Amino acid sequence: MTYCRRHLLGLSVYRSGKEKEIARVKDVVLDLKSARAIGVALESDHLWQSMKYLPWENIVSVAPKELSFYQEKPLKNLGKRREKQLAGLWIGQRLFSPNGADWGTVADLVLEENWQLAGVYVSQGLWQDMVRGWQFLHWVDIQPILPVNKR
């Protein structure tokens, strides 16, 4: 099973065994060095409250409309470093091959069931998308050309 980033956005987040929604998924947090998703960022209910972060190891299940987790500790603050790792920052970015050919614009990221990055969907413009749909590029093919954030 694979997950697209766009399908995870907006999922209701529940503590395992509880019925009250505590948040919604705002984005996926990536670690490009290990080529995997390391958690999800949660929407904040309050304007001045920082975004919270839920690591994947605490997630119990992902269903079509909800995500549940087991956690004894409070949710962590996302922090400035992880804000720079949000998958949403890749959406809309142009991708070029090593020889400079334009591959298109990143439309979505695809995750495997173990949260490894499988690849990206690339849009090549409205007309091309209508004729051929989004093009899938495997992560191993594009990883060498991506600038890895060393901060």
Side-chain angles (χ1 to χ4, degrees), residues 96-107:
F96 296 92
S97 71
N99 64 3
D102 187 356
W103 280 343
T105 304
V106 176

Side-chain angles (χ1 to χ4, degrees), residues 96-149:
F96 296 92
S97 71
N99 64 3
D102 187 356
W103 280 343
T105 304
V106 176
D108 205 355
L109 283 91
V110 181
L111 304 167
E112 295 174 3
E113 195 167 8
N114 62 358
W115 308 118
Q116 285 293 123
L117 283 163
V120 297
Y121 281 117
V122 176
S123 168
Q124 295 179 331
L126 178 63
W127 294 112
Q128 287 293 334
D129 291 351
M130 286 177 26
V131 173
R132 295 187 339 204
W134 286 348
Q135 179 184 357
F136 179 77
L137 298 175
H138 291 276
W139 189 255
V140 294
D141 295 335
I142 65 167
Q143 190 174 15
I145 64 171
L146 295 176
V148 177
N149 190 350

Side-chain angles (χ1 to χ4, degrees), residues 3-5 7-29 37-43 52-71 75 111 115:
Y3 301 98
C4 289
R5 172 190 170 268
H7 295 144
L8 296 172
L9 300 181
L11 286 181
S12 297
V13 178
Y14 298 91
R15 290 191 197 282
S16 185
K18 305 286 183 182
E19 293 183 18
K20 183 181 177 202
E21 176 184 298
I22 63 157
R24 288 188 176 265
V25 174
K26 182 171 180 77
D27 209 344
V28 176
V29 182
I38 57 173
V40 293
L42 305 176
E43 290 180 350
K52 299 293 184 185
Y53 162 72
L54 178 61
W56 283 122
E57 58 266 14
N58 293 352
I59 295 174
V60 175
S61 68
V62 178
K65 294 186 179 184
E66 67 183 50
L67 180 146
S68 62
F69 70 99
Y70 172 75
Q71 183 172 329
L75 295 170
L111 304 167
W115 308 118

